[in-house]
């Protein structure tokens, strides 16, 4: 990990007031990627070439008017190549920076493929207070009309705005502010790829740099509840997707592979097939904790008291991949289904 003060900002000279200090944690991704030419909007991933954070900041002298930037450069890794242990190391770095009283806010650049998952882990680990903002880009740094530079400037604006404090981890792309708990990537390629769930975005960073919030974030028991340095190695948790005619083979395979938990991504409001249900019952009988989620894009899987008594929890409105992360961390603390359900409820 490389930590350096950046020339992109500073406390000013003469009678200029000191600028807020923002820690910029860089992990690579599309925002740092180099394409073959300016029209390479899709093939750049195969090149696996990324710019260092210093090169990105050198092209953004505008940041000098917003904040003093302290760069923290982690290894550049495509986000779809990250494991849970890798993501937790990133989260631990950001959490430690957010705890530094000299830091006004933390900005994390991340590949968009799994951005929502790392942002969600950050929300589980960072107590509300110092703003933590995750951003990325849908177009590589070398492309025509690259979106990364303005995303980065707006993320720093958001991280330094007093109204961002206490809202949990925020995600900023395409001028739009989302809650990390609710945001999902919903398009493979469009600039407006990220959506904020049923409640929509929290707000926007306007063209003049003003941060405007339209509604707040609800309290949630799991927000900031986990210290990534204390969870050790989370147990294996697998996701099993339901589909027409699915049998229980994938559930049985997850159990055989050593899963301590299974997230069932059921149909509709959270319904696996009868054969999957039977396999999930076998898993629970064998000591595996099952979380019932839904494969659809929105809506809530409601708590089911009878299932809770049998050792099964429901995901609420968390999508399956976020439910997997919360279940994995929760299982490092307890196997009590009722206690785990309280972490899912909001």
């Amino acid at each position: 990990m490389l930590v350096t003060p950046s020339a992109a900002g500073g406390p000013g000279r003469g009678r200029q007031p000191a600028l807020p200090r923002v820690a910029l944690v860089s992990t690579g991704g599309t925002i740092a990627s180099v394409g073959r030419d300016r029209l390479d909007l899709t093939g750049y991933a195969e090149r696996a070439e990324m710019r260092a954070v210093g090169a990105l900041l050198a092209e953004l002298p505008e940041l000098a008017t917003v904040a003093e930037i302290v760069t923290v450069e982690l290894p550049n890794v495509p986000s779809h190549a990250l494991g849970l242990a890798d993501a937790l190391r990133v989260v631990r770095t950001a959490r430690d920076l957010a705890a530094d009283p000299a830091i006004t806010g933390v900005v994390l650049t991340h590949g968009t493929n799994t951005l929502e998952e790392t942002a969600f882990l950050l929300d589980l680990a960072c107590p509300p207070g110092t703003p933590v903002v995750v951003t990325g880009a849908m177009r590589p740094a070398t492309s025509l009309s690259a979106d990364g530079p303005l995303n980065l400037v707006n993320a720093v604006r958001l991280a330094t705005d007093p109204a961002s404090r206490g809202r949990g981890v925020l995600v900023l792309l395409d001028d739009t502010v989302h809650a990390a708990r609710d945001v999902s990537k919903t398009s493979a390629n469009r600039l407006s790829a990220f959506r904020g769930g049923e409640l929509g975005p929290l707000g926007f960073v306007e063209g003049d740099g003003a941060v405007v919030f339209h509604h707040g974030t609800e309290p949630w028991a799991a927000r900031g509840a986990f210290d990534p340095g204390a969870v050790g190695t989370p147990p294996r948790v697998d996701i099993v997707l339901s589909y027409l005619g699915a049998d229980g083979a994938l559930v049985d395979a997850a159990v055989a592979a050593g899963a301590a938990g299974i997230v069932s991504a059921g149909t509709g409001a959270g319904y696996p097939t009868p054969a999957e249900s039977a396999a999930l019952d076998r898993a629970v009988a064998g000591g595996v904790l099952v979380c019932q989620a839904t494969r659809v894009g929105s809506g809530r899987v409601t708590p089911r008291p009878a299932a809770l008594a049998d050792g099964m929890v429901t995901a609420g409105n968390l999508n399956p991949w976020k439910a997997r992360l919360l279940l994995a961390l929760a299982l490092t603390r307890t196997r009590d289904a009722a206690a785990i359900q309280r972490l899912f409820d909001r």
Side-chain angles (χ1 to χ4, degrees):
M1 180 175 70
L2 176 65
V3 182
T4 57
S6 169
R13 294 180 296 178
R15 290 187 294 274
Q16 290 181 325
L19 290 172
R21 176 174 287 186
V22 170
L24 173 59
V25 183
S26 170
T27 66
T30 297
I31 194 170
S33 291
V34 176
R36 292 184 300 271
D37 53 54
R38 296 213 305 161
L39 292 179
D40 180 9
L41 303 183
T42 58
Y44 59 90
E46 283 71 36
R47 289 173 54 88
E49 181 181 349
M50 296 188 193
R51 290 179 172 176
V53 65
L56 297 178
L57 293 179
E59 298 177 357
L60 284 175
E62 295 83 359
L63 276 178
T65 66
V66 181
E68 176 190 356
I69 305 297
V70 178
T71 58
V72 181
E73 191 161 11
L74 300 179
N76 284 345
V77 179
S79 66
H80 56 271
L82 291 172
L84 182 53
D86 302 317
L88 285 172
R89 283 193 289 271
V90 173
V91 168
R92 184 164 60 247
T93 298
R95 186 180 191 266
D96 291 347
L97 289 165
D100 184 344
I103 297 295
T104 302
V106 177
V107 171
L108 173 72
T109 62
H110 197 282
T112 60
N113 285 342
T114 60
L115 184 151
E116 65 193 85
E117 291 171 78
T118 298
F120 182 71
L121 279 173
L122 281 164
D123 208 24
L124 296 177
C126 296
T130 299
V132 177
V133 180
V134 186
T135 192
M138 295 299 296
R139 293 175 178 169
T142 52
S143 69
L144 192 66
S145 298
D147 56 322
L150 186 56
N151 284 346
L152 183 51
V153 170
N154 281 341
V156 172
R157 286 167 166 168
L158 182 62
T160 59
D161 194 285
S164 298
R165 293 187 59 84
R167 291 179 178 270
V169 174
L170 304 173
V171 172
L172 183 286
L173 289 99
D174 196 31
D175 304 336
T176 308
V177 183
H178 301 286
R181 188 191 191 279
D182 301 318
V183 72
S184 290
K185 185 176 182 179
T186 61
S187 174
N189 306 112
R190 304 294 178 225
L191 294 185
S192 56
F194 285 79
R195 294 285 185 269
E198 293 177 304
L199 295 178
L202 296 181
F204 300 90
V205 178
E206 302 291 355
D208 61 354
V211 175
V212 178
F213 286 100
H214 294 299
H215 59 84
T217 52
E218 298 178 24
W220 176 40
R223 178 167 289 128
F226 297 93
D227 179 355
V231 298
T233 301
R236 179 181 182 123
V237 175
D238 289 313
I239 299 172
V240 176
L241 178 69
S242 190
Y243 51 88
L244 189 68
D247 60 20
L250 294 181
V251 175
D252 293 335
V255 175
I262 294 175
V263 176
S264 167
T267 60
Y271 291 94
T273 67
E276 286 176 315
S277 291
L280 291 168
D281 288 340
R282 292 194 297 272
V284 170
V288 177
L289 202 141
V290 171
C291 175
Q292 186 60 59
T294 174
R295 69 181 192 177
V296 304
S298 63
R300 180 169 171 258
V301 180
T302 57
R304 298 164 187 168
L308 189 62
D310 291 335
M312 299 179 71
V313 300
T314 52
N317 66 350
L318 287 179
N319 62 35
W321 33 102
K322 290 183 178 179
R324 169 186 172 263
L325 296 173
L326 178 52
L327 183 57
L329 294 191
L331 285 170
T332 66
R333 287 187 175 180
T334 181
R335 297 193 62 84
D336 179 72
I340 292 175
Q341 185 66 65
R342 286 193 288 273
L343 292 172
F344 277 93
D345 291 343
R346 183 175 69 175

